[in-house]
Amino acid sequence: EAGVAQSPRYKIIEKRQSVAFWCNPISGHATLYWYQQILGQGPKLLIQFQNNGVVDDSQLPKDRFSAERLKGVDSTLKIQPAKLEDSAVYLCASSIGTGRNEKLFFGSGTQLSVL
Amino acid sequence: GESVGLHLPTLSVQEGDNSIINCAYSNSASDYFIWYKQESGKGPQFIIDIRSNMDKRQGQRVTVLLNKTVKHLSLQIAATQPGDSAVYFCAENMGSSGGSYIPTFGRGTSLIVHP
């Protein structure tokens, strides 16, 4: 079974530039998550999708971050403009649903460095 | 704020020893917990889970204990191997206002296994 695919693997940009990350979840998984993981910390949820709808985006900095999952399969996360504090690993995960006992399957992440 | 947290950021053990990683949670209504392992350069990977109607659950070389009285859980790894070196996170699926569940992570414990 193919896992969660993410690209690019690494990205280096200067502050105020834009960047986009792509994620393809496990086939059949309705729920997709984007997490931000700052060095030395646990993953922090940015946004959760159920099919093509947003379930939770309460922690997404909407002035600069946006995400979409138009067809309910793959998803993109964009930062525009980037700040130094956005340097982190951006993890995509998927699960079958949004129930109480869901287990997440993660991709390897995109490591973003903002200079 | 975070509802799960770990007591020690780093744990060093000798190969062959047993390891115990602890986690505290603050929400007494929490009823499902998951341990994830994150190796360097990879996303977190599911290890084992436990529901609140259980005190103990065993997997292959791993055991999770749950003490609801003091809101504490632990991950025990038997006969620790160099391949167990990673960061370990406990996570809980917290209910959101939208009716779904959001996997929420603590800070993590870095396990270092010395040969």
Side-chain angles (χ1 to χ4, degrees), chain B residues 88-106:
Chain B
Y88 290 81
F89 295 97
C90 64
E92 64 174 313
N93 286 0
M94 298 184 67
S96 71
S97 58
S100 66
Y101 289 86
I102 299 172
T104 304
F105 290 76

Side-chain angles (χ1 to χ4, degrees), chain A residues 9-10 33 35 37 40-45 48 55-56 58-59 89 91 97-109 111, chain B residues 2 29 31-32 34 36 38 40-46 49 51 57 89 93 96-108:
Chain A
R9 189 74 179 87
Y10 303 93
Y33 313 77
Y35 281 86
Q37 187 175 25
Q41 298 183 16
K44 171 189 147 186
L45 181 71
Q48 179 184 18
V55 175
D56 191 290
S58 58
Q59 298 189 77
V89 175
L91 294 164
T98 59
R100 184 186 298 268
N101 300 331
E102 294 295 333
K103 303 173 184 59
L104 269 59
F105 296 83
F106 283 85
S108 294
Q111 185 170 329
Chain B
E2 293 180 347
D31 61 2
Y32 181 63
I34 309 168
Y36 289 90
Q38 186 174 26
S40 180
K42 297 183 180 179
Q45 179 183 19
F46 171 88
D49 59 357
R51 295 184 177 86
R57 190 168 189 203
F89 295 97
N93 286 0
S96 71
S97 58
S100 66
Y101 289 86
I102 299 172
T104 304
F105 290 76
R107 184 181 171 192

